[in-house]
């Protein structure tokens, strides 16, 4: 069906009429590839045959272009050219005059009885000899009953002499074909799909084909395979794309492939959906609307030229050819992602050519300073180039993908980066930086790479700043010996201006996180960290965060710590670029009992951000753990458990390294406070890396174990845990209750053992000054001390403790203190005179009052521990007491 070509066919028919009257007529049909030139020629031949014309047709072909006379032999086989003339190299540059005359005579003979129509399709592929013959005929057929109609595409140049001659013939008609209009598409769709479907789909077809008849018919073929859906490009469409690209000329094909490789459109595929009206049918010719238009970010000529291996001036012409054929839209972009997919899947594009194309694209993008993700896309799709910028570019792309929430693509970039990093100092630094990014995706997976880099650090090949990064990573995973060995290569100073920053961070982290390892480090890491510049210049955020935690643990004023933490947390982009700084700053607020502020910040950074992708799992795990710690200190125990469990789900235990003790301790402490002792025991019994006991995390773990023993009425075991905490903290110079109020725990254990004087001495102001610098530890100490005081003073002490708990916002502390206050103030009647203990109950109660644990009582009496617990429960109920420390008093009263 011929559509939108009625006017052109009428013009050509008029040329036929002239030639039938004995006046030679000529016509040239101009048009880009696949715009229907051949179909128009076919319709003209049919009309000429109906009117009694003799019709001869020749088709130009790039495969026959090297053969002399290939085209004229199709038009005038009567010439009887010898075989040697039809082989490559068989003809000279100039056609012999006798052959030219023979061609002319043969044409006159054909036109003697009936008018003659000579049709040449794709003249731009005509061989040189045939062009000379046609040029000879054009100059002599002005008075013959003959018409010559040719079609040509704009990308050829060899036929320009013949076209120039036709230009000056007085009766030559020039027709310029354009893509089908929306009305023409509607007519075509009506013919194939019916009027209702045509009304719905015209704009859709117009957008995907631009009116290119070949693409239109291909899309109709694809639509026939899925009649109940909106037609989407399929196999037929892709084949038509390749046909258009190949027939648009070598330069256009090269530019189309380059554009496909650069893939700057980022156009989404429309989803297959039931037939509907996807467009505004009131304006079907508006093809520049919503779907598949993307952004106008066509690569510039220089970038395309470099990728296509062409000169820059060839690119605009190639883009014109692709645009006029409607393969590209008005913005010089492929009409659909299927165009690029077809070009890159072209069987004629060899693997080697594809790799070379990717290499040129990567180099060109890098040279232009393109975004790292664009460069990395080419590097990952091609082979290594062996150039120094590859690994950093891939690592930077991984960072961007992580920021965008695409962890899978970030992982691919990192794997490629590792493969491209050599063993030079810079290559090793690149590899370590890649490992640092990879840790955010798969913490356990980087251990093998860290081991390999440790060997290079021993030899001094790793740059000093990279060595510091390696030391921190090794310490996290508990590889102390490797970290100490690597540190021995560190200089006191380095030309890298960032070395001093990283050195300060490492020193501070050793002091407050790995204090047990610090004495074994070389002197360069044991030196005190320089104080901030006196001129008030802000420190790098990573240094400021590490210093904030350090001063929080070493006794700085709460206001000073809070101000430093707020500066870190308010730093622009800190959560994206330094999430570790956020964690450290929030923990600093917890350690000074600014729990409301810590709660607000932890909630803010953990909350989803509209318009931002979800953060990587490791960052989420650290933020959930921080939130769990804050909620534990606030006494919101159930919520603390929820966030702690989520943290362990997001990062496997092997990824936590020595820090695993921290989330386990927080969870165990929360479950103990909730009375869920089996769950707490399971958490505390999980295996930890051997190096954990030399980190600050062991303090949290030992303290949680002590609380667990207290809750299970094992005061001696609890006391051992609390005393161990104190001894370790004093040896490290970090004896602060903000980490673990071990004195309060130990005092409570002494009370349970019936030694209140030891509890009082442990919490005496002169012996335990650190306890009284923070409201929460002070409140805990007062609550325990109240149990050692006479009944008439106990309520006042508990009231002071309650006020302090309310100041810092510890709900669990408030609840415990209120319970103790109720016990201290309620007036309970003495036990009834007739209440007595059984012999078994009395034996158990007497031993427990002496300070023996349940297990020790069971061993003494040769009974089960559970039996001891049952007897004590009944004793407590009969004597109306809640604490083991009250047993001695009640037993004496009962006697």
């Amino acid at each position: 069906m011929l559509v939108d070509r009625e006017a052109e066919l009428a013009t050509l028919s008029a040329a036929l009429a002239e030639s039938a009257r004995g006046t030679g007529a000529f016509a040239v049909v101009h048009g880009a590839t696949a715009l229907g030139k051949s179909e128009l020629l076919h319709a003209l031949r049919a009309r000429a045959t109906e009117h009694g014309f003799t019709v001869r047709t020749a088709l130009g072909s790039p495969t026959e272009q090297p053969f002399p006379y290939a085209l004229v032999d199709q038009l005038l086989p009567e010439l009887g050219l010898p075989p040697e003339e039809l082989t490559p190299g068989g003809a000279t540059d100039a056609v012999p005059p006798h052959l030219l005359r023979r061609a002319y005579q043969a044409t006159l003979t054909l036109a003697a009885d009936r008018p003659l129509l000579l049709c040449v399709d794709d003249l731009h592929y005509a061989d040189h000899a045939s062009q000379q013959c046609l040029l000879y005929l054009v100059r002599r057929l002005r008075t013959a009953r003959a018409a010559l109609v040719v079609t040509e595409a704009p990308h050829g140049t060899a036929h320009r002499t013949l076209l120039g001659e036709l230009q000056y013939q007085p009766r030559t008609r020039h027709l310029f074909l354009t893509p089908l209009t929306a009305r023409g598409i509607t007519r075509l769709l009506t013919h194939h799909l019916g009027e209702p479907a045509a009304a719905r789909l015209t704009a859709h077809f117009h957008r995907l084909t631009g009116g290119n008849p070949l693409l239109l018919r291909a899309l109709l073929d694809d639509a026939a395979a899925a009649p109940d859906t909106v037609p989407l490009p399929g196999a037929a469409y892709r084949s038509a794309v390749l046909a258009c690209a190949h027939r648009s000329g070598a330069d256009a094909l090269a530019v189309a492939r380059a554009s496909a490789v650069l893939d700057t459109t980022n156009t989404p595929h429309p989803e297959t959906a039931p037939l509907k009206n996807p467009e505004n049918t009131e304006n079907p010719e508006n093809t520049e609307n919503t779907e598949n238009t993307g952004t106008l970010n066509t690569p510039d000529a220089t970038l395309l030229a470099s990728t296509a291996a062409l000169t820059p001036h060839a690119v605009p012409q190639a883009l014109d050819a692709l645009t006029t054929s409607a393969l590209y839209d008005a913005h010089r972009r492929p009409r659909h992602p299927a165009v690029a997919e077809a070009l890159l899947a072209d069987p004629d594009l060899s693997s080697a050519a594809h790799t070379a194309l990717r290499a040129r694209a990567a180099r060109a993008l890098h040279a232009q300073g393109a975004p790292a993700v664009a460069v990395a896309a080419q590097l990952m799709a091609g082979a290594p180039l062996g150039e120094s910028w590859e690994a950093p570019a891939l690592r930077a792309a991984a960072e961007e993908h992580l920021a965008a929430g695409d962890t899978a693509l970030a992982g691919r970039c990192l794997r490629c980066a590792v493969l491209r990093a050599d063993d030079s100092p810079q290559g090793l630094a690149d590899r370590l930086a890649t490992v640092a990014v990879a840790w955010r995706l798969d913490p356990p997976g980087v251990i093998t790479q860290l081991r390999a880099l440790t060997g290079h650090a021993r030899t001094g090949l790793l740059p000093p700043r990279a060595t510091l990064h390696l030391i921190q990573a090794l310490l996290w995973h508990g590889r102390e010996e490797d970290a100490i060995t690597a540190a021995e290569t560190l200089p006191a100073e380095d030309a890298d201006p960032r070395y001093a920053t990283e050195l300060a961070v490492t020193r501070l982290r050793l002091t407050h996180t790995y204090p047990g390892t610090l004495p074994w480090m070389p002197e360069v890491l044991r030196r005190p960290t320089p104080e901030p510049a006196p001129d008030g210049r802000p420190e790098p955020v990573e240094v400021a965060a590490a210093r904030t935690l350090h001063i929080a643990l070493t006794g700085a004023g709460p206001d000073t710590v809070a101000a430093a933490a707020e500066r870190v947390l308010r730093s622009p982009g800190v959560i994206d670029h330094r999430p570790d700084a956020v964690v450290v700053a929030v923990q600093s607020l917890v350690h000074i009992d600014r729990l409301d502020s810590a709660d607000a910040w932890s909630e803010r950074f953990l909350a989803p951000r509209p318009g931002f992708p979800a953060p990587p799992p490791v960052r989420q795990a650290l933020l959930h753990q921080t939130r769990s710690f804050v909620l534990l200190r606030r006494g919101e125990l159930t919520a603390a458990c929820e966030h702690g469990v989520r943290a362990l789900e997001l990062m496997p235990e092997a990824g936590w390294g020595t820090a695993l003790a921290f989330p386990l301790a927080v969870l165990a402490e929360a479950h103990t406070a909730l009375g869920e002792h089996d769950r707490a025991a399971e958490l505390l019994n999980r295996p930890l890396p051997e190096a954990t006991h030399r980190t600050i995390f062991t303090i949290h773990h030992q303290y949680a174990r002590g609380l667990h023993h207290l809750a299970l009425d094992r005061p001696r075991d609890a006391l051992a845990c609390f005393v161990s905490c104190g001894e370790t903290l004093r040896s490290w110079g970090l004896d602060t209750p903000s980490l673990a109020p071990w004195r309060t725990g130990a005092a409570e254990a002494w009370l349970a053992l019936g030694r209140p004087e030891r509890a009082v001495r442990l919490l005496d102001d002169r012996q335990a000054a650190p306890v009284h610098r923070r409201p929460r530890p002070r409140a805990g100490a007062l609550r325990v001390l109240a149990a050692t005081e006479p009944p008439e003073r106990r309520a006042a002490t508990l009231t002071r403790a309650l006020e302090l708990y309310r100041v810092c916002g510890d709900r669990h502390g408030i609840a415990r203190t209120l319970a103790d206050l109720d016990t201290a103030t309620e007036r309970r009647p003495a036990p009834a005179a007739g209440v007595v203990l059984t012999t078994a109950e009395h034996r158990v109660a007497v031993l427990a009052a002496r300070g023996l644990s349940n297990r020790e009582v069971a061993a003494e009496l040769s009974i089960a521990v559970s039996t001891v617990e049952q007897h004590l429960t009944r004793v407590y109920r009969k004597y109306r007491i809640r604490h083991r420390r009250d047993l001695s008093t009640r037993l004496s009263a009962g006697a």
Side-chain angles (χ1 to χ4, degrees), residues 591-835:
H591 289 311
I592 59 171
D593 293 333
R594 299 293 175 89
L595 299 182
D596 287 342
S597 179
D599 183 53
W601 281 110
S602 65
E603 184 177 23
R604 172 181 174 181
F605 285 120
L606 195 54
R609 294 184 293 169
F612 287 82
V618 171
R619 187 204 296 180
Q620 291 188 64
L622 294 175
L623 291 174
H624 276 286
Q625 173 51 33
T626 303
R627 182 89 175 122
S628 177
F629 183 45
V630 173
L631 292 170
L632 174 69
R633 289 293 178 92
R634 286 178 60 85
E636 299 179 38
L637 304 176
T638 302
C641 290
E642 291 172 355
H643 285 279
V645 169
R646 182 61 179 149
L648 292 175
E649 290 173 347
L650 287 165
M651 182 158 59
E653 291 190 3
W656 287 92
T658 57
L660 176 62
F662 188 33
L664 293 179
V666 172
L667 274 173
E669 187 175 339
H671 283 294
T672 296
L674 289 168
E676 299 167 354
H677 304 308
D678 290 342
R679 175 61 175 155
E682 186 273 326
L683 291 163
L684 290 170
N685 290 331
R686 290 188 189 180
L688 298 172
E690 188 276 334
T692 302
H693 69 278
R694 288 182 290 278
T695 72
I696 204 68
F697 309 120
T698 193
I699 300 299
H700 296 282
H701 199 266
Q702 278 289 86
Y703 180 74
R705 187 180 295 277
L707 292 177
H708 178 63
H709 285 313
L710 268 183
L712 292 180
D713 208 8
R714 297 196 288 256
R716 292 188 185 276
D717 294 335
L719 183 61
C721 291
F722 295 134
V723 170
S724 174
C725 283
E727 291 174 348
T728 303
L729 286 172
R730 284 197 297 267
S731 70
W732 291 345
L734 294 175
D735 188 9
T736 170
S738 61
L739 274 171
W742 66 271
R743 287 181 176 83
T744 303
E748 197 161 1
W750 280 120
L751 281 177
L753 290 169
R755 302 292 299 275
E757 75 283 357
R758 297 295 299 269
V760 172
R761 185 166 56 194
L762 194 62
L763 295 178
D764 183 84
D765 288 358
R766 292 166 296 179
Q767 300 293 327
V771 172
H772 308 288
R773 294 176 184 166
R774 303 281 188 261
R776 186 173 177 274
R778 175 63 174 163
L782 289 172
R783 189 185 65 80
V784 174
L785 284 172
T788 69
E789 296 178 335
E792 63 273 12
R793 292 172 52 190
R794 193 172 299 169
T797 303
L798 288 172
T799 300
R800 292 200 301 273
L802 183 63
E803 292 171 353
L804 290 171
Y805 274 131
R806 284 172 172 163
V807 166
C808 62
D810 183 349
R811 299 181 184 180
H812 183 60
I814 292 171
R816 294 186 69 188
T817 306
L818 284 173
D820 290 348
L821 196 57
D822 288 343
T823 303
T825 56
E826 69 180 354
R827 297 180 179 179
R828 294 178 179 271
V835 174

Side-chain angles (χ1 to χ4, degrees), residues 376-453:
Q378 306 303 329
L379 292 173
M380 289 190 293
L385 305 180
E387 299 180 12
S388 61
W389 54 267
E390 290 180 81
L394 286 161
R395 187 177 68 252
E399 292 273 14
E400 293 186 30
H401 287 308
L402 277 177
D406 194 338
T407 56
L409 199 50
R412 284 187 56 205
C413 289
L414 293 173
R415 288 190 290 273
C416 289
V418 171
L419 292 174
R420 285 164 165 81
D422 57 24
D423 289 342
S424 66
Q426 184 57 49
L428 293 173
D430 288 338
R431 192 183 304 176
L432 180 61
T434 300
V435 170
V437 180
W439 181 85
R440 292 155 63 182
L441 295 176
D442 180 22
V446 305
I447 297 175
T448 301
Q449 298 177 47
L450 289 176
R451 290 172 183 164
L453 287 165

